[in-house]
């Protein structure tokens, strides 16, 4: 019997250890998260297509990214994301091996190694004033053994060595206020011509020795009409500028240092001309001018005479001129018409000679062509071939070659401004989207592979097969809902006004749509996206109604500009309807009411103090009128330091007003003294946040009731001197004050002051607590403070036994107008990192423990358990507090490397974190956006309500069979032993 027991125990220990040891990391990569890298809208591009090495294009973008892209597939070889205040002014290639970037308004020059992107050198240039920046990399200019790079910015002209970044010489132009427009170098000359304007009315040409920086000669000439600042270089000794009235083109010649003006009126070139605009392409002996919704090509003769040689639609984009074979110069023009892109390459000297004409079909609407960059190559038949890199209105990047789109990049996703979530359609009976394992043999093979992986016996080929099997059988990429709620859509709105639906399974784009104006008027041909809201979320009609979102756009940057509303079907990406609204949009307020079709009611406030109800239906109007007296909202005037509370008053009066327009009345005003406080941050709870229970049992068995009012506003103010950069003031000059304000009454419920502290303030508000991050000037450290609010007005319900036995009274009505008895608890902790944004996990029922998601300055996301910022933490917690999970108090919050949910990845340019619950209470969706996109599923309290995807059912079955066999063997052996003892 003892031997049988030992055998049973050994078998049990072996199988148990086998179950515990199932932890394969390499085959779990990408199962629950994905990461996408972008660069943003391209504004500069330089091709590098030498015969040796990889063919690439160097680009800089509006997101302050410099990157090297593979010309064959569009993949990123390398990239660098500069700071938000380090805007790139120019990019070029020097010495055939260095990428040169100029940024920060001409004050920072860097060289990057072309193959791998490593920084070679960095030079900070002297800057005395804000001015236009200019980067010039001369091709044939050599000073001794050095190759100078010419940079103008901040009032100084610098010559910088391309080899090591050393400043060779600099010329100060700050005293006379000279603004450099062009730096030109005649062929085979060591003299540099620097052309610029003095006070916008005098043209000045300096001849500067490229070796010493000394001025050899200087000529100036006053133009009575003044210059607008728009300029185009047409040759090595001529530029064409536009006068201040935008009606005269002035050809400035500076041959041998002598300046000459030649004026040509636009009306002499084009009939019925209006204001003109010089376009950016640099063309040899020619310039492009936009006038009367047309683009005209103006040739500049040897004597400075201007002549119109061609005209195109103003929607046409043009490239800079490019030298081709036989000393000819060509340029490309691209325009978008319907679903096609038309590309033409012409010779500059002979516009009738078309070198290339192609029409390329596009798979989706991307708007107009904004920029085009051209490159040539030699075909196998020794003729010239051309490739064009084009930037579309939706910020996408496309490479065109040989009549086809070689590759495309959706760079609009680098500028996401708003995100919401949506469910996928319900899978109908009899419909199967993904393939499943059909036979028992396949099932057994799959689980045998998993068993080998569990026992660490899997070969590398088996590991690959296991990962492919999991990806195949998980069904995570299906376009239907799953019972766990893991498959969703993230709807993202970009700065370009384009809407994307991203699948949580692998991040692929399910559909996209570019926001348009229904009227197609010239004033609002392409509105910019402002915000995104859930419009219709069908629950009772999920099988026959599709959910939809509301996209609010604006025709211009001014808040008083008219707006556009677009309603988009979430499943198909088709626009259901859209409308130009006559009023402006200042604030959009989703209401907690829906109509019979489950469309959510929204109020839109305009600049005239009116609000407008949407949808404009009689049913929505009747619902709203029933709740007319219970609708409140607030507005924040940050620059004036004023917060106002509003309520409904009556219907609008006037001829243009309709029954869905209402006037408002001001209920209260909170004015912060401008001499001592400036508003830097405001925050409220998520309107759809779920709170599991309002009661919280303390360690002394009393019940605390969370103050979970949705009408609570967090406000942070700082001293006006402390509103600048960190460290710009002394601790005595700055103070940070936070308020909790009831938005119904305007009553300040709590005030907390932090002396010697300043912003920026990043905060998160959930349930009854708020956590905010700021800088402590006295300690020279960042701090995190937590404030928890409890309702003391229910003192008679504090006994925990009343709560258990159901004898507590929670039915008494609560009004914001009754003064609440509040208890607040707060605690501050040091935090070692700067923060970009903070979010909190959200689950379906609000039961699971919360985690703070902290976006650090290193563009990673740290998951911090809410227990670490519990204000009840003490140095020596009691036994009851330890049982409750209260952690001993420390002065700093821990940063555990394993707590980074982004692992070793970075979400470059991180701007926001969005969380959404799944159907499983343990799991939440996390989506982070910036220049990059990142998604993962997070289980703050582990997956206590489900088995993991890699759980081995085969191993469990074998374990059960082995245990049953062991029990049976033990029983047989026991019976034999007992029988043998009886025969003795």
């Amino acid at each position: 019997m003892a031997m049988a027991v030992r055998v049973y125990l050994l078998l049990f220990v072996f199988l148990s250890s086998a179950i515990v040891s199932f932890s394969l990391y390499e085959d779990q990569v990408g199962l629950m998260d994905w990461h996408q890298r972008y660069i943003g809208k391209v504004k500069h591009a330089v091709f590098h297509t030498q015969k040796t090495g990889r063919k690439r294009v160097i680009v800089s973008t509006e997101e302050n990214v410099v990157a090297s892209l593979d010309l064959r597939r569009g993949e990123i070889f390398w990239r660098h994301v500069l700071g938000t205040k380090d805007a790139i002014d120019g990019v070029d290639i020097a010495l055939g091996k260095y990428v040169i970037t100029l940024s920060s308004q001409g004050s920072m020059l860097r060289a990057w190694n072309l193959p791998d992107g490593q920084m070679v050198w960095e030079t900070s240039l002297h800057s005395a004033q804000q001015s236009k920046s200019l980067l010039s990399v001369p091709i044939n200019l050599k000073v001794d053994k050095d190759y100078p790079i010419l940079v103008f910015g901040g009032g100084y002209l610098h010559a910088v060595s391309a080899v090591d970044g050393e400043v060779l010489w600099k010329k100060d132009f700050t005293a006379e206020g000279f603004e450099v427009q062009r730096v030109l170098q005649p062929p085979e000359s060591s003299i540099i011509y620097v052309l610029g304007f003095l006070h916008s009315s005098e043209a000045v040409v300096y001849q500067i020795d490229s070796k010493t920086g000394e001025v050899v000669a200087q000529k100036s000439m006053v133009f009575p009409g003044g210059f607008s600042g728009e300029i185009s270089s047409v040759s090595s000794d001529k530029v064409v500028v536009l006068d201040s009235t935008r009606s005269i083109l002035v050809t400035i010649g500076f041959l041998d240092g002598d300046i000459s003006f030649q004026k040509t009126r636009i009306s002499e070139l084009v009939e019925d001309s209006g204001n003109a605009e010089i376009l950016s392409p640099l063309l040899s002996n020619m310039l492009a001018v936009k006038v009367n919704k047309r683009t005209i090509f103006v040739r500049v003769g040897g004597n400075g005479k201007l002549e119109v040689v061609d005209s195109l639609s103003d929607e046409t984009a043009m490239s800079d001129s490019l030298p081709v074979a036989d000393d000819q110069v060509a340029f490309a023009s691209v325009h978008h018409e319907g679903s096609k892109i038309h590309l033409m390459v012409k010779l500059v000297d002979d516009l009738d000679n078309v070198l290339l004409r192609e029409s390329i079909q596009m798979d989706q609407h991307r708007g107009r062509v904004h920029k085009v960059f051209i490159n040539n190559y030699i075909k196998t038949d020794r003729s010239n071939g051309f490739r064009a890199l084009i930037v579309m209105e939706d910020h996408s990047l496309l490479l065109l070659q040989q009549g086809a789109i070689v590759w495309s990049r959706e760079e609009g996703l680098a500028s996401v401004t708003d995100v919401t979530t949506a469910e996928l359609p319900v899978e109908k009976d009899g419909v199967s989207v993904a393939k499943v394992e059909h036979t028992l043999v396949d099932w057994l093979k799959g689980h045998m592979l998993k068993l080998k992986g569990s026992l660490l016996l899997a070969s590398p080929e088996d590991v690959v097969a296991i990962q492919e099997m999991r990806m195949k059988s998980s069904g995570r990429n299906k376009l239907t809902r799953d019972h766990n709620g893991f498959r969703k859509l993230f709807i993202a709105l970009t700065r370009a006004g384009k809407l994307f639906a991203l699948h949580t399974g692998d991040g692929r784009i399910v559909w996209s749509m570019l926001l348009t104006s229904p009227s197609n008027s010239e004033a609002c041909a392409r509105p910019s996206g402002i915000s995104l809201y859930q419009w219709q979320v069908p629950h009772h009609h999920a099988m026959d109604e599709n959910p939809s979102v509301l996209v609010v756009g604006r025709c211009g940057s001014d808040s008083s500009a008219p707006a556009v509303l677009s309603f988009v079907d979430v499943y198909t990406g088709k626009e259901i309807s859209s409308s130009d609204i006559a009023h402006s949009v200042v604030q959009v307020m989703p209401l907690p009411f829906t109509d019979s079709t489950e469309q959510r009611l929204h109020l839109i406030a305009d600049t005239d103090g009116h609000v407008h109800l949407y949808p404009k239906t009689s049913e929505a109007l009747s619902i709203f009128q029933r709740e007319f007296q219970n609708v409140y909202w607030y507005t924040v005037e940050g620059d004036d330091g004023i917060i106002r509370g509003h309520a409904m008053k009556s219907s609008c009066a006037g001829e243009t007003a309709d029954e869905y327009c209402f006037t408002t009345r001001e209920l209260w005003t909170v004015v912060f003294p401008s001499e001592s406080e400036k508003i830097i941050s405001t925050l409220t709870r998520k309107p759809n946040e779920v709170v599991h229970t309002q009661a919280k049992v303390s360690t002394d068995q009393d019940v605390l009731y969370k103050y979970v009012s949705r009408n609570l506003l967090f406000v942070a103010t700082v001293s006006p001197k402390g509103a600048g950069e960190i460290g710009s003031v002394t601790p005595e000059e700055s103070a940070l004050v936070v308020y909790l304000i009831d938005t119904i009454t305007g009553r300040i419920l709590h005030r907390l002051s932090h002396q010697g502290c300043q912003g920026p303030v990043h905060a998160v508000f959930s349930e009854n607590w708020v956590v905010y991050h700021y800088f402590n000037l006295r300690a020279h450290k960042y701090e995190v403070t937590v404030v928890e609010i409890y309702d003391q007005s229910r003192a008679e319900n504090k006994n925990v036994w009343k709560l258990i036995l159901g004898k507590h009274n929670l039915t008494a009505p609560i009004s914001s107008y009754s003064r609440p008895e509040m208890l607040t608890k707060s605690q501050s902790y040091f935090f070692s990192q700067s923060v970009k944004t903070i979010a909190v996990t959200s689950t379906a029922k609000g039961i699971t423990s919360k985690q703070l998601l902290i976006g650090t300055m290193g563009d990673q996301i740290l998951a911090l358990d809410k227990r670490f910022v519990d204000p009840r933490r003490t140095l020596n917690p009691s036994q009851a507090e330890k049982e409750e999970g209260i952690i001993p108090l420390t002065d700093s919050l821990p940063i555990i490397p394993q707590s980074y949910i982004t692992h070793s990845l970075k979400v470059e340019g991180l701007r926001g974190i969005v969380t959404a619950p799944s159907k499983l209470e343990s799991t939440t969706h996390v989506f982070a956006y910036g220049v990059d996109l990142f998604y993962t599923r997070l289980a703050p309290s582990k997956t206590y309500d489900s088995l993991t995807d890699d759980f081995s059912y085969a191993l469990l079955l074998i374990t059960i069979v082995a245990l049953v066999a062991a029990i049976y063997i033990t029983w047989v052996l026991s019976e034999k032993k007992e029988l043998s003892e009886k025969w003795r």
Side-chain angles (χ1 to χ4, degrees), residues 413 416 418-420 490-494 498-502 532:
L413 287 169
V416 172
D418 202 0
V419 178
T420 189
F490 275 99
I491 312 298
L493 178 66
T494 68
K498 192 168 186 178
L499 209 59
F500 290 90
L502 304 174
L532 184 64

Side-chain angles (χ1 to χ4, degrees), residues 415-545:
S415 57
V416 172
T417 58
D418 202 0
V419 178
T420 189
T421 59
E423 293 288 350
L424 283 162
V426 178
E427 185 171 354
K428 298 179 181 180
D429 294 336
V431 177
S432 178
V433 181
K435 293 182 180 179
V436 297
E437 297 166 314
H438 293 288
T439 64
L440 179 61
V441 175
D442 293 335
W443 185 88
L444 288 174
K445 285 182 179 179
H447 286 286
M448 286 304 297
L449 279 174
K450 289 184 179 180
L451 181 59
K452 291 177 68 177
S454 302
L455 299 177
L456 302 180
L457 300 176
S459 64
E461 293 77 12
D462 292 336
V463 171
V464 174
I466 291 171
Q467 189 170 9
E468 290 178 353
M469 181 184 62
R470 286 177 180 168
M471 296 287 287
K472 178 182 177 181
S473 62
S474 65
R476 70 171 194 165
N477 298 332
K478 294 170 65 175
L479 290 175
T480 55
R481 300 183 194 180
D482 62 309
H483 63 278
N484 290 330
F486 291 164
R487 293 196 295 265
K488 280 182 178 288
L489 291 178
F490 275 99
I491 312 298
L493 178 66
T494 68
R495 189 169 60 239
K498 192 168 186 178
L499 209 59
F500 290 90
L502 304 174
H503 197 292
T504 56
D506 56 1
R508 73 182 185 277
I509 299 172
V510 179
W511 54 261
S512 61
M513 189 211 73
L514 187 61
L515 186 63
T516 58
S517 172
S519 62
N520 289 323
S521 63
E522 182 181 357
C524 190
R526 190 73 63 192
S528 58
I530 303 176
S531 51
L532 184 64
Y533 302 91
Q534 291 185 345
W535 177 254
Q536 184 180 17
V537 185
H539 297 286
H540 304 294
H541 307 281
M543 299 297 291
D544 49 25
E545 291 283 348

Side-chain angles (χ1 to χ4, degrees), residues 460-763:
E461 293 77 12
D462 292 336
V463 171
V464 174
I466 291 171
Q467 189 170 9
E468 290 178 353
M469 181 184 62
R470 286 177 180 168
M471 296 287 287
K472 178 182 177 181
S473 62
S474 65
R476 70 171 194 165
N477 298 332
K478 294 170 65 175
L479 290 175
T480 55
R481 300 183 194 180
D482 62 309
H483 63 278
N484 290 330
F486 291 164
R487 293 196 295 265
K488 280 182 178 288
L489 291 178
F490 275 99
I491 312 298
L493 178 66
T494 68
R495 189 169 60 239
K498 192 168 186 178
L499 209 59
F500 290 90
L502 304 174
H503 197 292
T504 56
D506 56 1
R508 73 182 185 277
I509 299 172
V510 179
W511 54 261
S512 61
M513 189 211 73
L514 187 61
L515 186 63
T516 58
S517 172
S519 62
N520 289 323
S521 63
E522 182 181 357
C524 190
R526 190 73 63 192
S528 58
I530 303 176
S531 51
L532 184 64
Y533 302 91
Q534 291 185 345
W535 177 254
Q536 184 180 17
V537 185
H539 297 286
H540 304 294
H541 307 281
M543 299 297 291
D544 49 25
E545 291 283 348
N546 291 1
S548 57
V549 293
L550 165 65
V551 186
V552 181
R554 181 181 291 150
C555 302
S557 57
D558 189 8
S559 60
S560 61
V564 174
L565 302 183
S566 180
F567 304 92
V568 181
D569 189 313
V570 167
Y571 291 169
T572 64
K574 303 295 184 183
E575 191 172 46
I576 302 170
S577 64
S578 62
S579 60
D580 290 318
I581 54 179
H583 58 81
S584 58
V585 174
V586 176
Q587 189 174 357
V588 181
M589 295 161 281
L591 300 177
F593 319 122
T594 57
D595 60 14
S596 59
T597 63
E598 298 182 89
Q599 288 184 345
R600 183 169 296 277
L601 275 62
H602 287 69
L603 283 180
I604 298 182
D606 60 19
T607 52
D608 298 326
H610 298 157
V611 294
H612 305 264
L613 176 66
Y614 291 88
K616 291 189 174 184
T617 62
S618 57
E619 182 187 3
L621 183 61
S622 63
I623 295 172
F624 180 71
Q625 287 175 341
R626 288 198 300 269
E627 302 291 340
F628 191 80
Q629 299 299 327
N630 297 323
V631 177
Y632 302 87
W633 74 96
Y634 68 94
T635 56
V636 179
E637 302 172 14
D639 295 336
D640 300 326
I642 300 175
I643 302 176
R644 306 180 191 273
H646 306 273
M648 306 305 300
K649 184 178 180 181
S650 62
S651 298
C652 296
E655 296 180 358
T656 58
D658 56 20
E659 57 183 333
Y660 305 101
C661 174
F662 302 92
T663 59
T664 64
R665 55 193 174 95
E666 189 174 304
L667 293 178
W668 52 265
T669 304
V670 176
V671 181
F672 298 96
S674 59
E675 64 275 5
S676 60
E677 294 185 64
K678 177 181 176 60
I679 299 175
I680 58 173
S681 179
T682 60
L683 184 69
T684 59
R685 279 180 56 198
K686 283 184 179 181
N688 58 348
E689 184 184 31
V690 178
V691 180
H692 174 62
T693 178
Q694 191 178 353
K696 183 175 184 179
V697 181
S698 63
T699 54
D700 55 1
Q701 303 304 310
D702 279 344
V703 180
L704 297 175
Y705 291 94
K706 302 174 184 177
Y707 190 82
V708 290
S709 172
R710 297 184 185 277
N711 305 315
L712 212 54
L713 174 66
F714 168 82
V715 181
T717 67
V718 72
S719 305
K721 288 186 177 180
E725 298 288 337
I726 291 177
S728 58
V729 292
T730 62
E732 292 75 19
E733 295 176 320
S734 182
L736 177 70
V737 184
V738 299
Y739 300 86
L740 295 175
I741 300 176
D742 190 298
T743 59
I744 303 298
T745 62
R747 185 181 293 122
I748 296 177
L749 302 180
H750 184 65
R751 181 182 183 273
L752 186 60
S753 178
H754 302 275
Q755 296 297 323
C757 298
Q758 69 173 140
V761 171
H762 300 281

Side-chain angles (χ1 to χ4, degrees), residues 130 163 175 276-277 293 356 418 421 488 648 695 740 790 924 929 945:
Q130 289 188 351
V163 178
E277 175 187 355
K293 300 181 182 179
L356 179 68
D418 202 0
T421 59
K488 280 182 178 288
M648 306 305 300
L740 295 175
Y790 296 95
T924 181
Y929 59 91
D945 52 359

Side-chain angles (χ1 to χ4, degrees), residues 303-363:
N303 54 0
K305 185 179 179 181
L306 304 184
E307 177 188 5
V308 177
V309 291
D310 198 2
S311 68
L312 297 173
S313 167
D314 64 339
E315 297 186 3
T316 302
M318 290 160 294
S319 71
D320 291 345
S321 57
L322 175 77
V324 293
D326 302 327
D327 297 328
Q328 294 177 329
V329 179
F331 74 100
S333 64
V334 182
H335 72 277
H336 183 241
E337 183 180 356
S339 61
K340 289 187 176 182
I341 295 178
H342 301 285
L343 168 66
M344 282 196 301
V345 179
K346 300 180 179 180
L347 290 178
V348 173
D349 296 333
D350 184 7
L351 296 182
D352 294 331
N353 189 345
V354 178
L355 301 179
L356 179 68
R357 188 194 303 270
E358 294 177 345
S359 294
I360 302 164
Q361 187 73 30
M362 288 184 58
D363 55 348

